[in-house]
Amino acid sequence: GAVVSQHPSWVICKSGTSVKIECRSLDFQATTMFWYRQFPKQSLMLMATSNEGSKATYEQGVEKDKFLINHASLTLSTLTVTSAHPEDSSFYICSAREPPTYEQYFGPGTRLTVT
Amino acid sequence: DAKTTQPTSMDCAEGRAANLPCNHSTISGNEYVYWYRQIHSQGPQYIIHGLKNNETNEMASLIITEDRKSSTLILPHATLRDTAVYYCIVRGTLNYGQNFVFGPGTRLSVLP
């Protein structure tokens, strides 16, 4: 099946700094990518949907100025957590949709810890 | 909101079949049933999906009732590595614009 990678797999940053997470579709072109967040012992919650070449659509309650999403190419989407705070510590998972089947493949996730 | 209900947790003995139920009583005719699982600290892994016929692959079997209001995922010979949270999700063929909505899933513990 199609492969989605994320980098880094884990990151620790200090409060107030920004961190960028990359999501790549390795063997297919993804016109749509999704970013999820998962807190301990909870399910995945969709943060935003990004379409290549256009602005991301954010879910209600997700601050678009804090979580910057860029989907500049058909194989790469990035999530930047700006001015990170400890409450942003979470497991961030991206997913990419493969046309024309529209099947959705998930990345391995990135563990963010803000100290 | 998730359109499925699953038991919160289940145990299964290693080597035995694990049968995970899912209710999707409001499923519509063009919606597929998908199963994913998430092993601790990893991204969701696709298992299987189906529309109305039973499906089988190298990982599992999916049994969908005739009225399509419920389904069962069967892991024929569970191993310790099958311990994970299993998510049952419905998604239609006419709403590809929608992403997968994850409910709380079933936490399967395979016991030695």
Side-chain angles (χ1 to χ4, degrees), chain A residues 34 36 38 41-44 46 91 93 97 101-109 111, chain B residues 34 36 38 40-44 46 49 87 91 96-100 102-104 107:
Chain A
F34 305 91
Y36 295 80
Q38 186 176 32
K41 298 189 182 302
Q42 296 186 21
S43 190
L44 284 76
L46 180 68
F91 193 51
I93 302 167
R97 177 178 290 158
T101 64
Y102 294 97
E103 294 304 339
Q104 201 165 320
Y105 302 94
F106 289 83
R111 173 79 56 193
Chain B
Y34 284 79
Y36 280 79
Q38 187 178 25
H40 182 63
S41 294
Q42 296 183 25
Y46 168 81
H49 76 284
Y87 298 100
R91 190 179 77 163
Y96 285 129
Q98 295 185 7
N99 76 101
F100 284 103
F102 287 82
R107 184 172 298 276

Side-chain angles (χ1 to χ4, degrees), chain A residues 11-49:
Chain A
V11 58
I12 301 173
C13 71
K14 293 186 176 181
S15 185
T17 62
S18 296
V19 60
K20 180 185 288 187
I21 302 170
E22 293 184 348
C23 175
R24 295 183 184 272
S25 56
L26 296 186
D27 48 5
F28 66 98
Q29 294 184 327
T31 54
T32 303
M33 289 185 172
F34 305 91
W35 287 95
Y36 295 80
R37 181 168 54 183
Q38 186 176 32
F39 292 108
K41 298 189 182 302
Q42 296 186 21
S43 190
L44 284 76
M45 295 297 296
L46 180 68
M47 299 175 66
T49 301

Side-chain angles (χ1 to χ4, degrees), chain A residues 50-67:
Chain A
S50 75
N51 292 295
E52 186 265 339
S54 63
K55 291 183 179 181
T57 302
Y58 291 82
E59 295 298 302
Q60 191 173 12
V62 177
E63 300 174 57
K64 62 180 181 181
D65 294 330
K66 180 173 183 60
F67 298 98

Side-chain angles (χ1 to χ4, degrees), chain B:
Chain B
D1 292 338
K3 295 192 279 188
T4 63
T5 56
Q6 301 175 247
T8 303
S9 63
M10 293 181 63
D11 292 340
C12 175
E14 186 179 19
R16 304 298 293 269
N19 298 291
L20 290 87
C22 178
N23 286 322
H24 30 80
S25 58
T26 62
I27 193 169
S28 58
N30 61 5
E31 289 186 315
Y32 284 78
V33 179
Y34 284 79
W35 282 85
Y36 280 79
R37 73 179 182 183
Q38 187 178 25
I39 296 171
H40 182 63
S41 294
Q42 296 183 25
Q45 177 189 21
Y46 168 81
I47 301 173
I48 199 167
H49 76 284
L51 184 62
K52 52 184 177 182
N53 296 322
N54 297 337
E55 302 287 344
T56 295
N57 63 21
E58 64 277 5
M59 289 184 67
S61 295
L62 174 60
I63 308 299
I64 303 175
T65 57
E66 192 168 344
D67 64 7
R68 301 206 328 119
K69 292 185 177 182
S70 66
S71 61
T72 301
L73 177 74
I74 301 173
L75 307 179
H77 305 287
T79 71
L80 299 179
R81 287 181 289 185
D82 292 321
T83 291
V85 178
Y86 287 76
Y87 298 100
C88 169
I89 304 165
V90 297
R91 190 179 77 163
T93 58
L94 298 181
N95 60 353
Y96 285 129
Q98 295 185 7
N99 76 101
F100 284 103
V101 178
F102 287 82
T106 295
R107 184 172 298 276
L108 174 69
S109 297
V110 180
L111 307 175

